[in-house]
């Protein structure tokens, strides 16, 4: 009788010891897992640091050779020419970027917002279920396909043929309008989300006061969703500014300070891609311009992103 | 009793109201017209784009297109084999990097991170920002960090795959977080109450339940990566290599880069069908991936 009891006592001691031990083994294992997951999350922060580091490291070298004032305020961008003709004023590139984006947004903003109003306020669930995937499909088309489309169809067949414009192969109008179709789904989908999030009560209140559908959509829902809509526009602008391949293929390769949309223009992103296609040897001034222009582009989109995140957060607080 | 003047006044009021309604109807009709026009233009743009590509490229999609190597001088015998292989390799590398990284980050942010801590908020804001960094800037990162020093890999597949992985990482994180968030707390509480540790709960309950959502996100992210051109140009994807990649350290090209080369080639006309054919192959792959994503979303959508 004594022995089993002793056994029982010792085994319960064992269990107690195991219980006492287990949590530490478990919690050590748990904290290793947590550490690993945190390390994965840290990669995205490291990515940002690496982006900023790689942009700055070479930009500093660039400004050793080109005065920063010449870069920021110069009105001629010809870094690939030789000798006296070489010039590093970034203004024409910035202007080209903004001008092409403006043309794109002039197409994408009205079309995108009208599509968003239609999908959120007018379309029946069934129509919505067909139109939305089409817009999503448009958003999923690779930009090189848009570039191909602009170069081989839109400029020659539509602008030159159908409209009858006297226009070059590379021009701001063709590239800009096609760029607009790239940005359109982004604007439509974010704006639609913002308008769908407007509470029903607001619509019903307006209908109760005798407003018709258009008045409800334009005077009640649209203003109520305004910050979300503005965020959609800012996001669209940021996509347009960063877009590379359409402009590389169809926009031309000359950085210009001009407003003639039948001429070719170059944007910052397209310049970066253009130079990288040629052989820019490490350390050469052509190679260094990549980083100075890249940093300029990065800062511009960063500012737009921060504005857009702020707006989205602000608008979320209102109706959540 | 209404006087004559009052009756007359009501009549004018009614007339004014009706006039107003008529005006409202006209404005509404104009607005409706604008709206339908906008939707029609958007849908038409996609239709015309697809039609043009099919018209230009359908005849060039033949067995030769898949069997032969690219060429910049002989359009009649050129194919896209090395570009197709390059794209497949890039997808595999990108997926191998981005899936563990993205899912782990999403799990950390949803299951572990204390949102009152500044570093966790910083990670979140940082991911939002990264999502909108232009792809060409990722190309610069790849060039300056992976291809050249510090990693010094050269213009090889691994550098391309890593760059694309970082580019689509935010997409995977954002979609995975939503999938994980959709798993109700009661599942976690039940598991914890039975004595499972937090990681056991995540690995055996939360993760399996959110896999369809995560898979959808991964497919969407990969279908974005597959169409990217700019970062690969910066990395130095070769122009029309006549060999298939053999490993992570191999030079390579990919379909979008090959399309660009053929589209902007000096002797353009004769290469355009090839470019259009490559677009068709690329779009077919994209469409297939999107269909799988939609299928997964519909098939495994859970109501808790």
């Amino acid at each position: 009788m004594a022995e089993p009891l002793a056994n029982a006592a010792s085994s319960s001691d064992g269990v107690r010891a195991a219980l006492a031990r287990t949590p530490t083994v478990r919690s050590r294992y748990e904290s290793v897992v947590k550490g690993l997951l945190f390390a994965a999350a840290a990669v995205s922060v490291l990515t940002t640091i690496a982006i900023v580091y790689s942009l700055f490291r070479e930009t500093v070298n660039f400004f050793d050779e080109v005065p920063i004032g010449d870069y920021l305020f110069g009105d001629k961008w010809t870094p690939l020419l030789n000798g006296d003709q070489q010039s590093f004023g970034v203004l024409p590139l910035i202007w080209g970027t903004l001008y092409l984006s403006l043309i794109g947004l002039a197409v994408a903003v009205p079309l995108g917002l009208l599509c968003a109003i239609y999908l959120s306020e007018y379309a029946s669930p069934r129509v919505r279920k067909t139109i939305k995937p089409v817009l999503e499909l448009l958003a999923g088309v690779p930009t090189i396909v848009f570039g191909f489309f602009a170069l081989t169809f839109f400029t020659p067949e539509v602008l030159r043929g159908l409209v009858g414009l006297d226009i070059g192969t590379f021009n701001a109008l063709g590239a800009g309008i096609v760029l607009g179709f790239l940005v359109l789904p982004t604007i439509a989908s974010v704006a639609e989300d913002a308008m769908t999030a407007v509470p029903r009560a607001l619509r019903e209140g307006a209908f109760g006061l005798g407003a018709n559908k258009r008045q409800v959509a334009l005077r009640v829902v649209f203003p109520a969703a305004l910050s979300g809509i503005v965020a959609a526009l800012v996001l669209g602008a940021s996509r347009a500014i960063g877009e590379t391949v359409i402009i590389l293929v169809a926009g031309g390769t000359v950085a210009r300070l001009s407003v003639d949309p039948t001429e070719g223009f170059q944007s910052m992103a397209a310049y970066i891609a253009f130079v990288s296609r040629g052989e820019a040897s490490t350390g050469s001034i052509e190679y260094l311009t990549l980083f100075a222009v890249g940093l300029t582009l990065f800062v511009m989109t960063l500012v737009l992103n921060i504005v857009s995140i702020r707006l989205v957060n602000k608008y979320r607080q209102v109706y959540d | 009793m209404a006087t004559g003047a009052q009756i007359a006044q009501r009549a004018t009021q009614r007339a004014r109201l009706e006039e107003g309604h008529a005006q409202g109807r006209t404005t509404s009709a104009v607005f409706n017209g604008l709206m339908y026009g906008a939707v029609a233009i958007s849908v038409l743009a996609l239709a015309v784009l697809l039609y043009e590509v099919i018209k230009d490229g359908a005849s060039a999609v033949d067995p030769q297109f898949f069997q032969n190597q690219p060429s910049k001088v002989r359009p009649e015998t050129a194919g896209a084999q090395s570009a197709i292989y390059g794209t497949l390799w890039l997808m595999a590398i990108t997926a191998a990097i981005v899936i563990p990284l993205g899912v782990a980050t999403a799990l950390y942010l949803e299951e572990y991170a204390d949102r009152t801590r500044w570093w966790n908020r910083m990670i979140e804001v940082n991911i939002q920002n990264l999502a909108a960094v232009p792809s060409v800037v990722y190309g610069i990162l790849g060039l300056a960090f992976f291809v050249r020093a510090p990693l010094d890999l050269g213009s090889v597949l691994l550098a391309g795959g890593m760059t694309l992985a970082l580019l689509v990482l935010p997409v995977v994180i954002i979609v995975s977080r939503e999938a994980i968030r959709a798993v109700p707390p009661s599942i976690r509480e039940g598991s914890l109450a039975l004595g499972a540790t937090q990681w056991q709960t995540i690995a055996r309950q939360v993760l399996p339940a959110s896999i369809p959502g995560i898979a959808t996100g991964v497919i969407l992210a990969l279908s974005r990566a597959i169409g990217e051109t700019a970062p690969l140009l910066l990395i130095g994807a070769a122009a029309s290599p006549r060999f298939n990649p053999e490993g992570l350290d191999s030079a390579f090209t990919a379909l979008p880069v090959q399309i660009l080369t053929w589209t902007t080639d000096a002797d353009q006309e004769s290469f355009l069908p090839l470019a259009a054919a490559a677009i068709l192959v690329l779009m077919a792959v994209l469409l297939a991936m999107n269909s799988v994503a939609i299928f997964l979303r519909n098939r495994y959508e859970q109501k808790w």
Side-chain angles (χ1 to χ4, degrees):
Chain A
M1 282 305 270
E3 233 173 282
L5 259 179
N7 261 348
S10 75
S11 87
S12 88
D13 275 354
V15 169
R16 205 171 299 140
L19 270 176
R21 202 169 51 240
T22 317
T24 54
V25 173
R26 281 180 136 194
S27 62
R28 200 172 303 150
Y29 179 72
E30 285 289 306
S31 47
V32 168
V33 168
K34 188 181 173 185
L36 284 175
L37 296 182
F38 177 78
V43 168
S44 68
V45 178
L46 292 179
T47 305
T48 307
I49 296 173
I51 288 175
V52 173
Y53 169 74
S54 42
L55 289 173
F56 266 102
R57 189 184 53 180
E58 303 286 13
T59 304
V60 169
N61 294 334
F62 175 76
F63 285 125
D64 275 348
E65 301 194 29
V66 177
I68 195 162
D70 289 7
Y71 175 73
L72 286 179
F73 305 111
D75 60 1
K76 260 181 77 183
W77 180 257
T78 49
L80 305 180
L81 298 181
N82 295 323
D84 284 350
Q85 290 177 298
Q86 200 173 35
S87 183
F88 299 97
V90 80
L91 283 182
L93 270 193
I94 293 183
W95 168 244
T97 308
L98 295 178
Y99 188 54
L100 285 159
S101 303
L102 281 178
I103 296 177
L105 290 176
V107 173
V109 171
L111 290 183
L113 291 186
L114 285 166
C115 285
I117 294 174
Y118 176 72
L119 287 176
S120 122
E121 305 300 313
Y122 283 78
S124 67
R126 239 180 69 204
V127 173
R128 206 173 147 192
K129 265 199 168 158
T130 6
I131 306 268
K132 259 201 118 166
V134 171
L135 285 180
E136 275 168 18
L137 202 60
L138 193 62
V141 172
T143 55
I144 178 66
V145 180
F146 280 101
F148 176 87
F149 181 70
L151 185 74
T152 64
F153 176 76
F154 197 75
T155 292
E157 310 266 324
V158 177
L159 292 181
R160 209 181 289 146
L162 216 62
V163 184
L165 287 178
D166 178 23
I167 203 166
T169 310
F170 305 106
N171 60 81
L173 205 55
I177 292 174
V178 173
L179 175 65
F181 281 105
L182 173 82
V183 177
L184 189 158
T186 307
I187 293 184
S189 118
V190 180
E192 197 228 325
D193 285 345
M195 294 201 297
T196 311
V198 172
R200 281 179 70 94
L202 271 156
R203 293 186 184 83
E204 281 159 6
F207 279 125
L209 290 171
N212 64 27
K213 204 154 196 182
R214 169 183 51 86
Q215 288 164 331
V216 170
L218 289 183
R219 297 191 202 167
V220 177
V221 178
F222 195 88
L226 196 61
S227 54
I229 289 168
V230 174
L233 302 187
V234 176
L235 196 67
S238 147
R239 272 208 81 178
I241 284 175
E243 166 46 32
T244 312
V245 176
I246 296 176
I247 297 159
L248 178 69
V249 171
T253 54
V254 185
R256 262 187 242 274
L257 271 173
S258 134
V259 287
D260 181 356
T262 60
E263 283 180 336
F265 283 78
Q266 195 166 40
S267 73
M268 291 189 280
Y271 169 78
I272 293 170
F274 178 73
V275 172
S276 75
R277 286 191 87 194
E279 292 291 310
S281 51
T282 317
S284 69
I285 191 78
E286 294 89 343
Y287 177 74
L288 293 180
T289 55
L290 289 182
F291 298 89
V293 175
L295 182 62
T296 315
L297 176 64
F298 179 73
V299 169
M300 277 175 68
T301 46
L302 189 69
V303 170
L304 281 175
N305 294 343
I306 291 169
V307 171
S308 140
I309 290 173
R310 281 265 162 88
L311 285 168
V312 169
N313 288 343
K314 186 181 151 204
Y315 127 86
R316 271 204 193 126
Q317 279 165 7
V318 180
Y319 290 117
D320 249 0
Chain B
M1 281 295 110
T3 63
Q6 277 172 329
I7 289 170
Q9 204 185 345
R10 277 185 204 155
T12 38
Q13 267 175 355
R14 197 173 305 127
R16 276 204 199 123
L17 258 176
E18 266 160 21
E19 197 183 323
H21 284 159
Q23 260 175 16
R25 273 195 293 276
T26 320
T27 321
S28 285
V30 171
F31 180 70
N32 284 351
L34 284 175
M35 216 167 46
Y36 289 119
V39 175
I41 289 174
S42 311
V43 175
L44 192 70
L46 183 69
V48 172
L49 189 148
L50 291 177
Y51 170 77
E52 281 301 313
V53 172
I54 291 170
K55 191 189 74 182
D56 290 351
S59 60
V61 184
D62 49 19
Q64 180 183 288
F65 183 79
F66 295 95
Q67 285 159 5
N68 290 5
Q69 294 295 5
S71 160
K72 279 162 91 174
V73 282
R74 279 190 300 278
E76 61 280 359
T77 60
Q81 200 185 45
S82 63
I84 292 169
Y85 273 85
T87 288
L88 293 177
W89 269 94
L90 282 174
M91 284 311 98
I93 300 168
T94 306
I97 298 171
V98 85
I99 294 172
L101 264 185
V103 175
T105 305
L107 283 177
Y108 174 75
L109 289 174
E110 283 302 314
E111 302 290 327
Y112 288 98
D114 173 357
R115 252 169 240 180
T116 57
R117 303 286 180 179
W118 64 268
W119 59 84
N120 293 328
R121 284 205 309 270
M122 184 189 75
I123 292 175
E124 290 200 13
V125 171
N126 183 57
I127 289 165
Q128 279 182 299
N129 266 324
L130 278 180
V133 169
S135 61
V136 73
V137 172
Y138 280 95
I140 294 182
L141 166 72
L143 172 66
F145 226 81
F146 301 150
V147 174
R148 310 255 157 99
L151 291 194
D152 217 0
L153 296 169
S155 298
V156 297
L157 271 173
L158 183 59
M162 281 164 65
T163 308
L164 290 181
L166 291 184
L167 172 69
V168 296
L169 181 60
V171 181
V172 175
I173 295 174
I174 290 165
V175 182
S176 303
R177 284 187 70 177
E178 276 168 24
I180 292 165
R181 207 179 304 144
V183 179
S186 58
I187 301 279
R188 294 180 184 81
E189 284 153 12
S191 169
L192 291 171
L194 289 172
T197 63
Q198 194 171 5
W199 175 246
Q200 285 167 343
T201 303
I202 291 169
R204 297 180 197 167
Q205 303 299 331
V206 178
L207 208 48
S210 51
I211 277 178
I214 293 175
T216 313
V218 168
I219 294 170
L220 289 180
L222 286 181
S223 66
R224 190 170 157 211
I226 199 176
E228 280 292 343
T229 318
L232 297 181
L233 291 179
L234 268 289
I235 296 294
S240 317
R242 302 186 57 77
F243 52 84
N244 295 335
E246 281 161 356
L248 296 178
D249 56 349
S250 196
F252 69 102
T253 191
L255 280 172
V257 179
Q258 193 57 48
I259 296 166
L260 177 74
T261 308
W262 278 328
T263 306
T264 56
D265 210 282
D267 180 20
Q268 209 198 62
E269 289 298 318
S270 49
F271 285 101
L272 282 185
L274 283 167
I279 289 176
L280 280 181
V281 174
L282 184 63
M283 296 282 284
V285 176
L286 271 175
L287 213 60
M289 290 172 80
N290 276 319
S291 323
V292 173
I294 292 169
F295 171 77
L296 280 176
R297 193 160 54 190
N298 294 341
R299 172 77 174 71
Y300 292 101
E301 201 168 26
Q302 291 203 45
K303 293 272 190 292
W304 296 93

